[in-house]
Amino acid sequence: YAAAAVGEVNVVAKMKEVGAVIGGEGNGGIIYPASHYGRDALVGVALWEIARRMQFGGLARVVACGLVVMVMVINLSARYDSPYVIRPNTQVTHRDWAGMTWYLQTKDPDVLSYYVVNPPDRFSQGILGVEATDPRMDLPRLAQVEDHFGYGSHSTLAEQYDGARYLSINWGDREIYQTVWRDLERWVDADFERLEADPTADRIYSNGKVDILFIGR
């Protein structure tokens, strides 16, 4: 047994340090490296089902093993939202909160908002409230920026859109894909470096934890 500081990133770092075969957090989140380094409810369900079925015969064991394989395949192919809880805590800092508050209250409501991992509408629900967020058409949940910021097929961000866009980047967006989800290679250091040099991406706000970029030709 090895204890780690609170937070998924810290738990994963400790697991890698000690070579743990399984880990998790006090809220019940299971982290099983054989599947991937990240909390996953499906993995937890699969492991519980294996434990339950091991008392039965061979067919039950085959079913249990098949369940584990299915979960692993799903995890390799699935692209899902960050498990972060959107309120100030050890993962979402007060500067995250302050930066997104400025953004939500200042941005042009006629310009769509894109994001990397943390959808702005989740912050908006916590900051402005659900009733104020739901009617907003400028915070679409499906407006996640392309892998590698789309630089694999475009030279700039603005080329990818038919008009101006905002892009919000939280510190966790960089951290999670350089640690916990590094093997997915969706956004790597070189992508963020290229974004810095992109002439169509103007940083209009930064507080050290949140960067807001305005994308335009």
Side-chain angles (χ1 to χ4, degrees), residues 182-196:
R182 188 178 185 86
D183 292 341
L184 294 180
E185 298 184 347
R186 296 189 66 187
W187 294 279
V188 299
D189 288 339
D191 298 326
F192 286 100
E193 292 172 2
R194 188 164 179 180
L195 180 64
E196 289 289 332

Side-chain angles (χ1 to χ4, degrees), residues 81 103 111-121 137-146 161 165-168 187:
D81 289 340
Y103 175 47
V111 177
L112 295 179
S113 178
Y114 276 63
Y115 64 94
V116 179
V117 176
N118 293 294
D121 71 313
M137 304 300 292
D138 59 321
L139 305 174
R141 173 60 66 90
L142 298 180
Q144 187 175 36
V145 71
E146 289 187 23
Y161 308 120
R165 297 289 189 274
Y166 288 104
L167 174 61
S168 63
W187 294 279

Side-chain angles (χ1 to χ4, degrees), residues 147-180:
D147 289 6
H148 307 292
F149 298 111
Y151 290 133
S153 55
H154 299 85
S155 59
T156 67
L157 271 176
E159 292 177 7
Q160 305 171 44
Y161 308 120
D162 57 1
R165 297 289 189 274
Y166 288 104
L167 174 61
S168 63
I169 303 176
N170 299 85
W171 74 273
D173 297 344
R174 299 174 183 264
E175 185 71 17
I176 200 72
Y177 276 100
Q178 303 309 307
T179 54
V180 178

Side-chain angles (χ1 to χ4, degrees), residues 10-93:
N10 296 321
V11 173
V12 169
K14 176 61 72 172
M15 290 176 65
K16 290 182 176 180
E17 176 186 334
V18 302
V21 296
I22 193 169
E25 296 189 89
N27 61 10
I30 293 295
I31 301 174
Y32 187 49
S35 176
H36 68 106
Y37 278 107
R39 286 183 301 174
D40 198 308
L42 283 175
V43 168
V45 171
L47 293 175
W48 175 85
E49 185 68 10
I50 288 174
R52 188 180 72 83
R53 290 176 177 268
M54 286 303 286
Q55 60 184 305
F56 300 108
L59 180 58
R61 295 184 183 183
V62 171
V63 171
C65 290
L67 182 59
V68 171
V69 172
M70 180 188 71
V71 168
M72 293 179 68
V73 170
I74 291 174
N75 276 297
L76 288 173
S77 61
R79 304 291 176 88
Y80 46 80
D81 289 340
S82 167
Y84 291 175
V85 176
I86 303 302
R87 64 172 182 271
N89 55 45
T90 55
Q91 294 175 321
V92 178
T93 69

